[in-house]
Amino acid sequence: MNSEKVIIKDLSFFYDTHQVLDNVNFSVCSNTVTALIGSSGCGKTTCLKCINRMNDLIPGHRVTGEILINEENIYDSSVNISELRRRVGMVFQKPNLFPMSIYDNIAYGLRVHGVKDKETLEEVIVRVLEDVGMWEACKDRLKSKALDLSGGQQQRLCLARALAVSPEILLMDEPTSALDPISTSKIEDLIFRLRDEYTMVIVTHNMQQASRISDMVVFFDSGSVVECSKTYDFFNSPKDERSSRYVMGRII
Ligand SMILES: Nc1ncnc2c1ncn2[C@@H]1O[C@H](COP(=O)(O)OP(=O)(O)O)[C@@H](O)[C@H]1O
Ligand SMILES: [Mg+2]
């Protein structure tokens, strides 16, 4: 039995007076993939961003409840936010590389966290590019512009960049929705392999993707969790009528 890495307790979230999460509760076990699903606007991205406090940047927001990571509440005032974001990496819907070389995109986060030594930087760059299956394609062009890569390669480089700072948890917000089917399947394979080392939470609109790559499904409706189940159970014997309706509507 895996241990609980992230525990979300009575989490509510407001953009000014607009409440978008209402008393959300679920846990994420170590070395598993949890898929957050539900209609547009139901609060998936907001919930994901609460896990590394990305929402702190939004003026007028308010959070209540707790998120425990390794049993520590990340909303405690003593938490170091930059260290939290190192431990909890994030990949977005669209690749968001810096207008720099492939090398510098990966080195950036390491340098921010104080790694300056060239040998260490190179070691990590090779490791993460190998992890995302891009080393062969990139080894002779590390100094060329990252933005010249294809969309799928850019997204894999975003993952490599997130992995470079040795996170424990990876948050992914619809990471394949802007990609073609071949690039999508490469990212899915990658997520599947990375499970051995990382704990992942992924927002996806694609039910086939959720059923292929996740261990657990959390189904949201209007800011509340309707159901949190093992993926097989969610798709084969959903506990809630709203879950079956959603799944049927998305698959047929
Ligand atoms: N920065 C923001 N300011 C105000 N409202 C927002 C902001 N971001 C999202 N919302 C609103 O919060 C609700 C949930 O959005 P979101 O978490 O993005 O949902 P999802 O990812 O499930 O589509 C929506 O009604 C959306 O319009
Ligand atoms: Mg979203």
Side-chain angles (χ1 to χ4, degrees):
M1 183 68 192
N2 287 318
S3 60
E4 287 180 332
K5 183 84 181 165
V6 183
I7 302 176
I8 299 186
K9 273 191 190 168
D10 301 335
L11 181 75
S12 292
F13 188 95
F14 304 75
Y15 293 106
D16 288 309
T17 52
H18 180 198
Q19 179 167 10
V20 298
L21 294 177
D22 182 12
N23 215 31
V24 166
N25 286 279
F26 67 91
S27 301
V28 176
C29 288
S30 298
N31 303 100
T32 61
V33 177
T34 297
L36 309 188
I37 66 170
S39 311
S40 270
C42 68
K44 305 177 297 294
T45 296
T46 303
C47 182
L48 195 71
K49 287 182 170 174
C50 284
I51 305 175
N52 68 351
R53 294 188 54 173
M54 284 284 284
N55 292 322
D56 282 19
L57 309 171
I58 296 167
H61 79 284
R62 186 158 67 87
V63 190
T64 61
E66 289 185 344
I67 297 185
L68 309 181
I69 295 183
N70 300 337
E71 299 178 355
E72 182 195 20
N73 182 13
I74 61 163
Y75 283 92
D76 273 352
S77 53
S78 59
V79 166
N80 175 332
I81 307 276
S82 147
E83 177 58 14
L84 171 70
R85 300 214 180 110
R86 186 197 63 71
R87 288 163 57 207
V88 188
M90 185 147 185
V91 174
F92 298 87
Q93 182 169 6
K94 293 209 179 105
N96 59 347
L97 295 168
F98 306 123
M100 304 170 178
S101 65
I102 295 170
Y103 183 105
D104 286 332
N105 263 280
I106 303 176
Y108 186 88
L110 289 160
R111 291 185 178 126
V112 166
H113 289 284
V115 181
K116 306 272 190 246
D117 170 53
K118 202 161 168 266
E119 226 169 83
T120 314
L121 288 176
E122 281 175 8
E123 232 172 73
V124 176
I125 288 168
V126 175
R127 173 175 61 80
V128 296
L129 284 173
E130 279 176 345
D131 277 353
V132 301
M134 295 252 299
W135 175 242
E136 282 306 315
C138 292
K139 66 180 182 193
D140 298 324
R141 53 187 295 197
L142 290 176
K143 299 289 172 157
S144 61
K145 280 189 258 164
L147 296 176
D148 287 344
L149 295 168
S150 72
Q153 287 177 322
Q154 287 193 31
Q155 195 61 314
R156 281 193 282 156
L157 186 55
C158 287
L159 254 165
R161 182 178 63 179
L163 298 179
V165 294
S166 304
E168 298 164 37
I169 299 167
L170 274 177
L171 309 176
M172 289 173 271
D173 194 359
E174 301 188 46
T176 64
S177 62
L179 303 182
D180 61 82
I182 291 174
S183 306
T184 295
S185 94
K186 285 188 177 157
I187 299 259
E188 288 186 7
D189 290 347
L190 185 58
I191 292 171
F192 205 82
R193 280 193 286 115
L194 292 174
R195 184 202 261 99
D196 291 341
E197 281 179 70
Y198 305 92
T199 302
M200 288 172 280
V201 184
I202 177 170
V203 173
T204 179
H205 269 116
N206 181 327
M207 292 303 100
Q208 282 83 2
Q209 179 168 75
S211 68
R212 279 193 296 265
I213 64 171
S214 71
D215 302 287
M216 295 293 293
V217 168
V218 183
F219 172 52
F220 284 79
D221 187 21
S222 311
S224 299
V225 172
V226 173
E227 172 166 351
C228 173
S229 295
K230 286 187 179 155
T231 300
Y232 183 87
D233 296 343
F234 182 82
F235 286 107
N236 292 286
S237 49
K239 289 185 213 131
D240 194 287
E241 177 61 23
R242 286 168 293 175
S243 315
S244 17
R245 256 188 281 127
Y246 183 77
V247 169
M248 293 304 279
R250 304 286 305 191
I251 286 182
I252 292 167

